[in-house]
């Protein structure tokens, strides 16, 4: 290749002319209806939103301008008329026919954008979810000399624009006409339009009506004046029942002026799971944004449902959820503080209402207290815990016992509770959600309190040893009993303890259970995995069946000489101890219980036959 051709190949190529995206409007409408919006009903919210924003824009220049929105539905068609700022022909081409451009970005409106509801420029497009044709007639208040303009669009992506005589629209404002698409007429019926308008627009700051029926209902229930606190509680309880379908235990004001938030939280009358996501109603500048806001409150506040109006939170593009940002995080923390202050106020001034609340929602308060030491200190006299002394608060229990013992699981508590109580050892069941964490945090809010986990070794150490001579005399019995339970990974020990009515006690700890689980897995595994699991075998303690030497039944069994009968009796005591502790039975345990039961029946019937 010669130098000239080489230079030609390296010469810069002329820039290619840019191309413009082609938008399939029907495909975009399908995307909106099936993926962006949760329901076709949002079309009405978008129409109300555009009308309210238009009025807001006009009132920025004309504070005394009329603020009216009128809706009329009939025969599968809907008309929405507002007295807002209106549009010129240039505005129509620039705004209505350009997908994704919001009028709130237009010149002169950007600085006031925080006063508007819509920010994404796709609101009017949502009407195609229910309508096959949209007709907009508008007259601009910002350009009084311009004639009215008509914009008509179809869902195939085509539109026409024409100017109209002044008589078609003498006053500034906009009227939107919708004609229902096939299969969507139910969304434009008078009853449906009225219901949606009330749902979305009850807190809007302007006069909104469907026909002659008012939609707005201001001031909001939480901002109204009432003759007494009792009357306010009754009115808000009625409001809660209308919105959420339940009568609340109590009402919490959620005013956060710095964040532009006003509203209430309603305390649920029945317990709910902490994992259940609460659905809260959020209005943005009066317009209902969502009925299912999940991130509005801290996770621990799952015992309330709230409704509020805000002008500071940011919506997502669909305007059906809140955008997770620093503002929402700050609002969540502020609302959590309001609920925390309500709880503190109840503890200080209304213990009866607090007790009624905790009887239902103690789990939510425990969730809060494990992260908030001040809340734990406040709630110490009130939060209930299951203990060997009955249902008590941590404060009461710590006053009774110099050492606060606790178990980490319900199974461990059931094992040790009867014997610990008889020995005078106080134990708290820490197996329920959050309880062990709160017990361990007790010294941080109650200095000097000693907290100790109660395990099998501690319980065994509190049981009286049997006289060595007596235990030596029973060595044959103990050897036969241990041989029978050894395959189950359980040792047999002899102690003397109260209550006398308890013949045997099954004790183990987490290490023993882990070792047993490993042994069970090893027994069921193939050679390769059995070898691997076998290499993990450790010196973990084994479970123990503690026989009560003071119990008359144990004394009679220990006097037996037949090793087979001793084994059967030991298996029966083992099974009974498991059932008393309410432990889940493994297949081997179930087989043992069946075998012991049948063995005892056989021995009993054989003895009767021999006597006969």
């Amino acid at each position: 290749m010669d130098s000239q051709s080489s230079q030609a190949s390296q010469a810069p190529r002329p820039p290619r002319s840019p191309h413009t995206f082609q938008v399939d409007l029907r495909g975009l409408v399908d995307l909106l209806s099936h993926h962006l919006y949760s329901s076709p009903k949002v079309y009405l919210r978008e129409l109300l939103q555009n009308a309210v924003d238009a009025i807001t824009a006009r009132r920025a220049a004309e504070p005394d301008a009329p603020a009216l929105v009128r809706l009329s539905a009939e025969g599968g068609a809907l008309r929405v008329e507002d007295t807002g700022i209106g549009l010129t022909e240039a505005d129509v081409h620039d705004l209505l026919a350009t997908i994704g451009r919001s009028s709130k970005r237009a010149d002169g409106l950007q600085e006031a954008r925080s006063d508007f509801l819509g920010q994404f420029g796709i609101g009017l497009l949502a009407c195609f979810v229910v309508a096959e044709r949209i007709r907009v007639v508008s007259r601009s208040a910002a350009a009084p000399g311009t004639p009215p303009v008509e914009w008509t669009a179809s869902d195939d992506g085509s539109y026409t624009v024409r100017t109209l005589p002044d008589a078609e629209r003498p006053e500034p404002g906009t009227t939107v006409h919708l004609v229902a698409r096939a299969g969507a007429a139910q969304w434009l019926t008078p009853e449906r339009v009225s219901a949606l308008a009330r749902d979305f627009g009850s807190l809007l700051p302007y006069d909104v009506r469907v026909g002659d029926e008012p939609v707005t209902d201001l001031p909001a229930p939480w901002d109204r004046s009432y003759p007494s606190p009792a009357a306010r509680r009754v009115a808000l309880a009625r409001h809660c029942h209308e919105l959420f379908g339940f009568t609340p235990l109590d009402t919490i004001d959620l005013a956060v002026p710095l964040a532009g938030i006003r509203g209430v939280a309603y305390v649920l009358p029945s317990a709910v799971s902490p994992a259940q996501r609460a659905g809260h109603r959020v209005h943005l500048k009066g317009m209902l944004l969502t009925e299912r806001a999940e991130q509005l409150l801290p996770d621990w506040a799952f015992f309330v449902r709230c409704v509020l109006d805000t002008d500071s939170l940011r919506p997502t593009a669909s305007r059906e959820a809140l955008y997770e940002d620093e503002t929402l995080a700050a609002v969540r923390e502020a609302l959590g503080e309001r609920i925390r202050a309500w709880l503190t106020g109840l503890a200080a001034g209304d213990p009866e209402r607090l007790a009624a609340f905790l009887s239902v929602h103690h789990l939510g308060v425990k969730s809060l207290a494990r992260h908030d030491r001040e809340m734990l200190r406040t709630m110490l006299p009130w939060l209930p815990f299951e203990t060997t002394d009955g249902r008590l608060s941590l404060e009461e229990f710590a006053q009774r016992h110099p050492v606060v013992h606790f178990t980490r699981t319900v199974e461990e508590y059931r094992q040790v509770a009867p014997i610990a109580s008889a020995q005078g050892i106080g134990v708290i069941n820490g197996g329920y959600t959050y309880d062990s964490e709160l017990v361990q945090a007790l010294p941080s809010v109650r200095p000097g309190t000693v907290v100790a986990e109660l395990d099998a070794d501690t319980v065994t150490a509190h049981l009286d040893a049997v006289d060595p001579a007596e235990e030596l005399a029973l060595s044959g019995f103990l050897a036969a009993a241990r041989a029978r339970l050894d395959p189950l990974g359980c040792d047999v020990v002899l102690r003397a303890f109260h209550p006398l009515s308890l013949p045997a006690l099954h004790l183990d700890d987490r290490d023993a259970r882990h070792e047993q689980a490993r042994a069970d897995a090893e027994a069921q595994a193939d050679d390769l995995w059995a070898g691997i699991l076998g290499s993990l075998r450790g010196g973990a303690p084994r479970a123990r069946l503690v026989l009560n030497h003071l119990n008359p039944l144990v004394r009679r069994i220990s006097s037996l000489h037949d090793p087979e009968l001793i084994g059967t009796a030991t298996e029966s005591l083992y099974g009974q101890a498991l059932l008393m502790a309410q432990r889940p039975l493994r297949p081997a345990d179930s087989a043992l219980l069946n075998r012991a039961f049948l063995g005892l029946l056989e021995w009993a019937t054989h003895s009767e036959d021999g006597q006969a």
Side-chain angles (χ1 to χ4, degrees):
M1 181 181 296
D2 55 30
S3 60
Q4 290 182 347
S5 61
S6 176
Q7 292 175 358
S9 65
Q10 297 177 5
R13 297 179 179 177
R16 297 178 179 177
S17 59
H19 298 281
T20 302
F21 283 104
Q22 301 299 311
V23 177
D24 181 349
L25 187 58
R26 286 179 175 169
L28 189 56
V29 169
D30 182 72
L31 178 67
L32 291 176
S33 60
H34 292 98
H35 300 283
L36 184 62
Y37 295 125
S38 63
S39 166
K41 69 180 183 181
V42 298
Y43 87 92
L44 192 65
R45 184 196 63 197
E46 300 297 342
L47 289 173
L48 287 176
Q49 175 179 286
N50 287 341
V52 169
D53 284 344
I55 294 173
T56 301
R58 184 176 180 185
R59 282 205 158 186
E62 304 176 50
D64 296 330
L68 307 175
V69 181
R70 297 290 182 263
L71 298 89
S72 177
E74 185 177 358
L78 173 67
R79 185 180 75 253
V80 180
E81 183 175 4
D82 67 69
T83 57
I85 195 168
L87 301 170
T88 64
E89 183 175 356
D91 292 334
V92 167
H93 285 287
D94 190 40
L95 301 176
L96 297 187
T98 305
I99 295 171
R101 178 177 298 175
S102 172
S103 62
K104 269 61 76 178
R105 296 183 177 89
D107 293 340
L109 298 183
Q110 180 66 36
E111 65 275 7
R113 184 177 172 190
S114 63
D115 293 331
F116 297 97
L117 300 174
Q119 299 177 5
F120 297 95
I122 56 175
L124 193 59
L125 194 64
C127 294
F128 280 121
V129 173
V130 298
E132 64 179 7
R133 187 170 72 255
I134 303 174
R135 177 172 172 257
V136 177
V137 177
S138 186
R139 183 163 192 160
S140 175
T146 58
V149 61
E150 177 191 70
W151 176 82
T152 304
S154 299
D155 60 2
D156 61 1
S158 63
Y159 72 93
T160 61
V161 178
R162 66 184 180 124
T163 58
L164 302 174
D166 289 347
E168 290 287 336
R169 179 149 193 121
E171 299 296 329
T174 300
T175 303
V176 179
H177 302 263
L178 302 185
V179 177
R181 67 188 307 123
Q186 73 272 20
W187 294 103
L188 272 64
T189 62
E191 297 77 15
R192 180 65 66 88
V193 168
S194 181
L196 292 178
R198 285 196 304 271
D199 199 34
F200 284 121
S202 62
L203 300 185
L204 288 175
Y206 305 132
D207 183 359
V208 181
R209 295 173 183 265
V210 178
D212 296 326
E213 180 184 354
V215 168
T216 50
D217 187 19
L218 295 177
W222 51 85
D223 285 330
R224 296 173 189 168
S225 297
Y226 297 95
S228 66
R232 186 175 190 270
R233 282 196 298 270
V234 170
L236 290 179
R238 187 184 307 114
H239 178 248
C240 174
H241 195 274
E242 292 172 355
L243 287 184
F244 299 115
F246 65 84
T247 301
L249 279 178
D250 207 347
T251 301
I252 309 169
D253 284 310
L254 296 180
V256 186
L258 291 178
I261 287 177
R262 289 284 300 168
V264 290
Y266 295 117
V267 181
L268 291 166
S270 56
V272 294
S273 166
Q276 180 177 331
R277 287 293 183 180
H280 308 293
R281 287 176 64 95
V282 177
H283 296 257
L284 180 61
K285 304 179 183 71
M287 182 72 74
L288 179 65
L289 180 73
T290 178
E291 300 173 281
R292 300 184 300 275
E294 295 183 350
Q295 305 300 328
L296 190 63
L297 298 181
D299 290 341
W300 54 261
F302 53 81
F303 50 84
V304 300
R305 298 290 181 271
C306 70
V307 53
L308 54 82
D309 188 23
T310 175
D311 59 17
S312 64
L313 298 179
R314 179 182 172 190
T316 59
S318 68
R319 290 188 288 281
E320 293 185 284
L322 296 172
Y323 186 81
E324 183 68 47
D325 57 10
E326 293 181 358
T327 302
L328 179 56
V331 166
R332 183 162 49 237
E333 180 62 28
L335 295 180
E337 285 293 336
R338 297 298 183 275
I339 299 174
R340 186 183 288 109
W342 169 78
L343 284 170
T344 303
L346 286 186
D350 201 339
E352 290 185 1
R353 284 172 66 196
L354 178 63
F357 166 75
L358 289 177
S359 67
V360 178
H361 295 297
H362 57 274
L363 199 59
V365 180
K366 287 180 178 181
S367 174
L368 169 59
R370 66 192 178 117
H371 296 300
D372 189 325
R373 292 293 178 260
E374 188 58 37
M375 181 56 62
L376 176 59
R377 184 179 292 106
T378 302
M379 290 293 130
L380 272 181
W382 307 103
L383 287 176
F385 289 78
E386 182 180 355
T387 78
T388 50
D389 293 349
R391 202 158 179 80
L392 299 176
S393 70
L394 288 180
E395 179 67 29
E396 289 180 279
F397 190 85
Q399 290 174 357
R400 296 185 183 187
H401 300 279
V403 178
V404 177
H405 289 99
F406 74 98
T407 62
R408 290 188 181 274
T409 68
V410 175
E411 290 78 10
E412 290 173 348
Y413 177 80
R414 288 169 177 166
Q415 288 180 62
V416 304
I419 189 65
S421 180
Q423 302 298 316
I425 306 172
V427 185
I428 296 176
N429 183 358
Y432 297 114
T433 307
Y434 311 132
D435 282 9
S436 62
E437 297 175 68
L438 293 175
V439 174
Q440 292 177 89
L442 189 55
S444 67
V445 296
R446 197 178 188 276
T449 303
V450 179
V451 174
E453 182 176 356
L454 188 67
D455 55 20
D457 290 333
T458 304
V459 174
T460 305
H462 280 81
L463 304 181
D464 295 334
V466 177
D467 181 83
E470 289 189 57
E471 187 166 3
L472 181 62
L474 297 175
S475 59
F477 161 75
L478 291 174
R482 287 166 181 156
R484 181 59 66 96
L485 296 187
D486 183 69
L488 297 173
C490 183
D491 292 331
V492 178
V493 296
L494 190 64
R495 293 289 187 273
F497 56 87
H498 293 274
L500 299 179
S501 58
L502 188 64
L505 182 67
H506 182 271
L507 295 176
D508 63 1
D509 54 23
R510 287 186 301 280
D511 291 336
R513 288 195 292 274
H514 291 164
E515 174 60 21
Q516 184 60 55
R518 186 210 58 77
D520 291 343
E522 180 182 356
Q524 299 174 13
D526 56 27
D527 292 342
L528 174 61
W529 282 108
I532 294 174
L533 292 170
S535 67
L536 299 176
R537 183 185 298 113
R542 288 153 60 91
R544 273 159 282 181
L545 181 66
V546 184
L547 301 179
N548 187 0
H549 188 53
L550 301 180
N551 180 266
L553 176 61
V554 172
R555 283 183 172 273
R556 288 197 296 272
I557 293 174
S558 63
S559 65
L560 298 173
H561 299 289
D562 182 356
E564 187 63 29
L565 185 55
I566 291 174
T568 300
T570 303
E571 287 179 338
S572 299
L573 292 174
Y574 173 84
Q576 188 263 354
L578 285 181
L579 295 175
M580 287 290 294
Q582 300 183 44
R583 292 290 305 277
L585 299 180
R586 299 171 297 165
D589 297 330
S590 299
L592 175 144
L593 280 171
N594 291 330
R595 183 171 64 248
F597 176 73
L598 294 175
L600 289 176
L601 283 179
E602 183 178 352
W603 176 80
T605 54
H606 177 75
S607 299
E608 290 180 0
D609 291 343
Q611 291 175 357

